Every structure is written in C-alpha cells, then in structure tokens.
C-alpha cells in the first residue's frame, strides 16, 4: 500500500536517514485491509468496523490532518481512551509519517502538559470525552486542539476544528508516506519514578518488529482470534501487544473503553473472546468478579505483563478459564516485549520466559559502568539488545548514555536466568529494600503474603528506619474481615504467619491496610506513592 510518490501525500520527499530501505507502522493496518477488507477489525459497543472500511477512514483522517498543516516528522499528541477514534487518529498520524505522542487520560492537565511541551507537539488530538484535559494542555503549552469524535454542542465553546467532521468531507489519501526504519514512530513517556517523565523514542523498526514477532513467533495470534482490548491503548503494552499485534495478524480487536471486570466477563461471552491481555491486577479482579459457581468461558491465550504475576493468581485463573497465561516482560524502552513464555520453546510459571525472536537478554553486573555479563544462575541487572530497543530519550542525551551502554539497554531491573534460559525478574533496583545490610526483594515477600487467605492484594515497600536503614512494610487490601476483627488483629496474625515462612530480615514487621492500592495509568501499583503516604501519615501523627 506504500505510495511511490510521497508528494501526493505531503508535497515533500520522504524523511529518513538517506537509506533506500523503508518501513512504516501504517502498513500494519494497510496489509490486512488489502488482504481481508471484509474481515472485522474493531468492535466497540454497537460499532463494528471492517478492515477495508477502517483503512479508508484512516486515510480520510490523514488527509484532514494534512490540510490542518501536519507533515512528516511532526509530533502529534493523542488524548483518547480505548475507542475506535483512537485507532483512526493513531494510524492517520502514521499515514502522514508523523509521530504519535500518547497522553494517558488519567493524568491531570499539568502532568499531561509536560508530555506535550517536552515532545514539541504543536497539535493535540483530543477525543470528545477528554476535551477538558486536552484544553488544559493547550492552555499551558500553546498547542492547538483538534477534536476527535462526536462533540456535544454544549462543548463547542472554542473555535476548534473537528477531525471527524473534516475527514467525512475529505478525499482519502492514496497511500502512506514512506519512512526509514530508524525514523520515529511513537514517543512514550516513562512513568517517571524519579524526576519528570522521559520520552522514549520508538522507531518504525521497533514498533513494526515487536508487533510482528509478538503475533507470529511469541503469541501465535491467528486471524480468527478476537482480542479483548482493555489495556489502555495510550500505554505501550496495550498499544503494541493488543492493538498493533492484533492488526498485524489480521485478527479482531474488541475494545473496552475502561477496564471493568464484570463487563470484561460479559464481553468475553458476547463476542467469543479468545485472547485476553492484561496486567496482574486485571487477572486478580477478574477472578474476584467471577462467581465461584459460574461456569466461565474458555480463553485460548492470555498474556500478562507490566508487573510480576503471583503464581497463585496464575494457577487459579488458568483453572477457572481453562486457559494458559503466558507471562512476559518488557518496558516502554523495549517496544515493549523483551521476553515472554513461548509454548514453542517451553513455559514455566513464575518466570517471564525466553527472549523474543531477534532479541538478546542477559544478566549483567549491576554496579559496573560497563556491561559485564554474568553466568547463568547469577542475580544481576537485566540488559537487552535487539530490534526492540529504543533510539534514546527525546532531548536527553545524558539519560540516553546512561541507559544505552556498550550496545545494551540497562533496564534497571534485577533478574536471573536459569540453566534452561528462563528469565525471572526479582525486582527493580529502585525498589530493593536493604534491611540491616541484607537485600530484601519485595516481589519475593509479596508472592508469599498473597498466599495468606485474609489478604486480597499486597505491595511491599521499604520504610526509613533509624537503626536498620529500612524496615519491611506490607500494604494490603483485606480479602475478608470477620466480625470482631480489626486491622491490628489481622496485621498481627499476618506478621506472625510470615515470620515462620521468611528469613528474619525479610518478613514484614508492619502490615498497613488500605481500601485500594494506588495504580498508575498502566495499572502498576505506585509503590513510591504508598511509601510517601505512610511516611506523611507517621509525621502527621507524631506532630499531634
């Protein structure tokens, strides 16, 4: 579908590195539209869009964007939930050879404005449900808002062009702008556990290859599959593994605008979902939402990522849904998938499997300035190299040099590969707790605590301690609270129980209960926020 005459699209020669090689993420949608135009591509509520129809809509949107002044290489912010309009806008930007900057819809305007200003985006595509956030970004950055989707007349307070209306009146472009493999495709902003979030630049090669290898080598997605798209599309996991991988295989994506476990179960039944991709909290909530006496539908394949999935949850979910969860591992900087349990190689519960095709993953000395690879069975920092590794942090050469060393990407995660090559993630270096000089890895403690019948969810953090350096603290959500029980009585039982199952330096001396664990845009538990909250509460209590 690539045009040999880019001037018919943008009036310019294609941007690139001077190489004659070309590659575009737009082809991920263009190819199934050419091969199977009548096959369903996206379902959202009552809306059903086939591949041929979707590709025409995308090219109309791209033509309208071009008329608004967007050209190849421009960065365009996209503020939208999991709706078909996200798909149309996302691929329209790719058709023009421009760059998508996804903005998580859970951010407040001041946070989102950093992404827009740091990326240099001058256009914000704001879905009708997110106009307040999009306009807040525009006010702080000077960027222009272009609305996407049907806008309620009461929302039309500003002189903002409607991409949806313009696209309906515009002739579709004939093809897409050719790009070089190393050209930018998407800029994802990392969660920013320290300082401001950094923009990870992912190239056309990164995005196309990760979708391709996920579809055909790792997950074995088939064109007959129906994939539940409940992971946020503004996040790299949902965008690559759910959306792009599904389209690369010519399968059907069933969108859920915001994850709700009861509704997810209904969608699985209603649409015959065969593949469910999620983060551990989603699998846990699905189990909680499913009545114990209800016969659940079978799922052909499930993929878990984003954080460690407790083995107990994996086993219960596999049994209830007659499925097999393939736990994987990756980061924004690795497009995201770096490793995953792959049936063709072998699977092992509690690990994140083997590297993807064309990707190398090893364990290196964590405290060395250079990459010093360690032997199998040794704990160290996980390092990655291959087609999935990002080009660097946007406008931040110092951070890029720290992350990309000797051709490897330093993940900052602590892991170990066993003699069979399976990778296990022990923890983040940043989350490592050091108590009395001994290392405590939170995941190990969390795995054990989740076996306790009175705990539904657990996050382990380290709190400052004047004598031990740090103390181990578990923040938990009750699974049940019997009559007469208090937080303190349950805490005492959990501490006593854990003390008999963990080494003296590992078990939590404190268990703090909360109604829910704070989650970030990608549904990861915000441990830094938990830690800071406990410290603030203690300081407030001491003053009173």
């Amino acid at each position: 579908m690539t045009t040999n005459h880019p001037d018919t699209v943008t009036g310019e020669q294609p941007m690139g590195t001077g190489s004659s090689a070309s590659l575009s993420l737009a082809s991920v949608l263009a190819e199934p539209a050419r091969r199977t135009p009548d096959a369903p591509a996206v379902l959202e509520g009552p809306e059903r869009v086939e591949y041929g129809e979707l590709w025409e809509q995308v090219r109309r949107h791209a033509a309208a964007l071009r008329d608004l002044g967007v050209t190849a290489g421009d960065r365009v912010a996209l503020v939208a939930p999991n709706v078909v309009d996200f798909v149309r806008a996302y691929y329209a930007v790719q058709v023009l050879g421009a760059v998508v900057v996804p903005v998580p819809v859970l951010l407040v305007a001041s946070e989102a404005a950093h992404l827009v200003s740091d990326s240099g985006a001058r256009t914000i595509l704001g879905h009708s449900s997110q106009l307040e956030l999009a306009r807040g970004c525009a006010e702080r950055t000077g960027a222009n808002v272009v609305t996407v989707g049907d806008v309620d007349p009461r929302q039309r307070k500003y002189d903002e062009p409607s991409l949806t209306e313009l696209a309906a009146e515009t002739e579709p472009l004939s093809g897409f702008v050719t790009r070089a493999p190393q050209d930018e495709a998407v800029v994802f902003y990392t969660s920013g556990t320290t300082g401001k979030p950094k923009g990870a630049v992912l190239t056309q090669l990164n995005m196309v290859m990760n979708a391709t290898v996920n579809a055909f080598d790792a997950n074995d997605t088939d064109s007959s599959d129906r994939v539940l798209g409940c992971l946020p599309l503004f996040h790299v996991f949902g965008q690559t593994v759910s959306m792009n991988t599904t389209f690369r295989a010519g399968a059907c994506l069933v969108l859920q605008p915001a994850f709700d476990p009861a509704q997810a179960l209904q969608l699985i039944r209603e649409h015959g979902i065969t593949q469910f991709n999620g983060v551990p909290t989603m699998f846990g909530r699905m189990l909680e939402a499913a009545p114990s006496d209800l016969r659940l539908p079978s799922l052909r394949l499930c993929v878990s990522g984003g954080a460690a999935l407790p083995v107990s949850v994996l086993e219960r979910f596999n049994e209830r849904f007659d499925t097999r969860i393939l736990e994987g591992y990756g980061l924004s900087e690795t497009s995201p998938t770096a490793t995953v349990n792959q049936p063709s190689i072998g699977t092992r519960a509690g690990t994140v499997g083997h590297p993807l095709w064309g990707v190398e993953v090893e364990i290196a000395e964590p405290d060395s300035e250079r990459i010093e690879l360690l032997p199998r069975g040794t704990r160290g920092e996980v390092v990655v190299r291959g087609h999935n590794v990002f080009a660097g942090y946007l406008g931040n050469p110092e951070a890029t040099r720290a992350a990309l060393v000797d051709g490897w990407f330093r993940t900052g995660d602590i892991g170990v590969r066993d003699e069979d090559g399976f990778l296990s993630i022990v923890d983040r270096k940043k989350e490592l707790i050091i108590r009395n000089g001994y290392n405590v890895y939170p995941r190990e403690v969390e795995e054990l605590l989740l076996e306790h019948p009175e705990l539904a969810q657990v996050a382990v953090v380290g709190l400052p301690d004047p004598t031990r350096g740090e103390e181990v603290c578990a923040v938990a959500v009750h699974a049940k609270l019997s009559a007469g029980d208090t937080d303190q009585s349950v805490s005492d039982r959990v501490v006593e129980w854990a003390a008999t199952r963990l080494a003296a330096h590992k078990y939590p001396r404190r268990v703090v209960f909360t109604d829910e664990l704070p989650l970030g845009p990608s549904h990861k538990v915000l441990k830094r926020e938990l830690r800071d909250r406990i410290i603030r509460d203690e300081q407030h209590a001491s003053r009173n």
Side-chain angles (χ1 to χ4, degrees), residues 377-528:
T378 307
R379 281 184 173 181
E381 183 176 8
V382 180
V383 294
V384 183
R385 68 179 176 186
H387 54 69
N388 62 333
V389 173
F390 76 143
Y393 294 111
L394 185 65
N396 198 333
E398 182 178 349
T400 300
R401 284 192 295 270
L404 298 174
V405 179
D406 297 338
W408 294 86
F409 169 60
R410 307 190 72 152
T411 65
D413 288 330
I414 301 298
V416 60
R417 291 192 75 187
D418 64 23
E419 293 302 321
D420 296 322
F422 286 95
L423 175 67
S424 296
I425 302 300
V426 180
D427 241 309
R428 291 285 302 175
K429 284 196 298 187
K430 297 184 183 72
E431 292 177 357
L432 178 69
I433 301 170
I434 303 179
R435 184 183 188 277
N436 275 347
Y438 292 97
N439 290 351
V440 179
Y441 296 95
R443 180 185 178 181
E444 182 181 359
V445 182
E446 290 163 355
E447 286 271 4
L448 177 83
L449 293 179
L450 281 168
E451 295 177 11
H452 196 285
E454 295 179 275
L455 305 182
Q457 299 176 52
V458 179
V460 170
V461 298
L463 298 179
D465 185 275
T467 58
R468 300 175 183 86
E470 288 183 291
E471 189 56 89
V472 182
C473 175
V475 186
V477 176
H478 287 290
K480 57 182 179 180
L481 194 61
S482 303
D485 269 339
T486 64
D487 286 357
Q488 188 59 54
S489 64
V490 178
S491 174
D492 291 342
R493 288 198 294 270
V494 171
V495 170
E496 182 178 356
W497 179 86
T500 64
R501 291 165 171 80
L502 287 169
H505 67 283
K506 293 182 181 179
Y507 76 87
R509 267 61 174 185
R510 293 185 59 188
V511 178
V512 177
F513 285 96
T514 183
D515 291 335
E516 59 183 9
L517 298 178
L519 303 177
S522 59
H523 290 264
K524 290 183 182 179
V525 177
L526 300 176
K527 291 188 176 181
R528 180 178 295 273

Side-chain angles (χ1 to χ4, degrees), residues 211-502:
T212 298
V213 177
N214 267 299
F216 302 123
D217 293 277
N219 302 341
D220 192 26
T221 302
D222 184 84
S223 61
S224 64
D225 275 320
R226 292 203 167 190
V227 181
L228 182 59
C230 55
L231 285 165
L233 297 182
F234 55 70
H235 186 262
V236 65
F237 187 10
Q239 196 172 119
T240 293
V241 181
S242 289
M243 183 176 73
N244 291 337
T245 296
T246 298
F247 294 156
R248 182 68 182 87
C252 178
L253 182 65
V254 180
L255 289 174
Q256 185 181 29
F259 178 68
D260 174 84
Q263 185 190 49
L265 289 170
Q266 181 181 343
L267 290 173
I268 290 171
R269 290 182 178 279
E270 180 182 344
H271 296 291
I273 297 296
T274 59
Q275 183 172 335
F276 174 69
N277 306 320
V279 295
T281 52
M282 290 180 173
F283 288 97
R285 291 183 65 194
M286 291 271 281
L287 285 171
E288 292 172 10
S292 58
D293 59 346
L294 178 68
R295 180 179 175 82
L296 298 176
S298 176
L299 292 164
R300 187 181 73 82
L301 173 67
C302 295
V303 178
S304 176
L309 176 66
V311 174
S312 59
V313 174
L314 179 145
E315 291 174 343
R316 284 191 292 130
F317 195 95
N318 282 349
E319 181 180 357
R320 292 296 317 273
F321 287 87
D322 186 26
T323 189
R324 176 170 53 181
I325 297 176
L326 303 179
E327 190 174 4
Y329 164 73
L331 307 92
S332 296
E333 293 90 340
T334 58
S335 307
T337 313
T339 71
V340 68
N341 278 276
Q342 302 165 55
S344 60
I345 300 175
T347 63
R348 185 167 297 171
T351 78
V352 291
H354 289 84
L356 287 187
W357 181 93
V359 174
E360 296 176 77
V361 177
E362 296 292 348
I363 304 298
E365 172 57 52
D367 298 319
S368 174
E369 292 184 359
R370 312 310 307 176
I371 298 298
E372 300 176 18
L373 299 183
L374 300 173
R376 294 285 171 91
T378 307
R379 281 184 173 181
E381 183 176 8
V382 180
V383 294
V384 183
R385 68 179 176 186
H387 54 69
N388 62 333
V389 173
F390 76 143
Y393 294 111
L394 185 65
N396 198 333
E398 182 178 349
T400 300
R401 284 192 295 270
L404 298 174
V405 179
D406 297 338
W408 294 86
F409 169 60
R410 307 190 72 152
T411 65
D413 288 330
I414 301 298
V416 60
R417 291 192 75 187
D418 64 23
E419 293 302 321
D420 296 322
F422 286 95
L423 175 67
S424 296
I425 302 300
V426 180
D427 241 309
R428 291 285 302 175
K429 284 196 298 187
K430 297 184 183 72
E431 292 177 357
L432 178 69
I433 301 170
I434 303 179
R435 184 183 188 277
N436 275 347
Y438 292 97
N439 290 351
V440 179
Y441 296 95
R443 180 185 178 181
E444 182 181 359
V445 182
E446 290 163 355
E447 286 271 4
L448 177 83
L449 293 179
L450 281 168
E451 295 177 11
H452 196 285
E454 295 179 275
L455 305 182
Q457 299 176 52
V458 179
V460 170
V461 298
L463 298 179
D465 185 275
T467 58
R468 300 175 183 86
E470 288 183 291
E471 189 56 89
V472 182
C473 175
V475 186
V477 176
H478 287 290
K480 57 182 179 180
L481 194 61
S482 303
D485 269 339
T486 64
D487 286 357
Q488 188 59 54
S489 64
V490 178
S491 174
D492 291 342
R493 288 198 294 270
V494 171
V495 170
E496 182 178 356
W497 179 86
T500 64
R501 291 165 171 80
L502 287 169

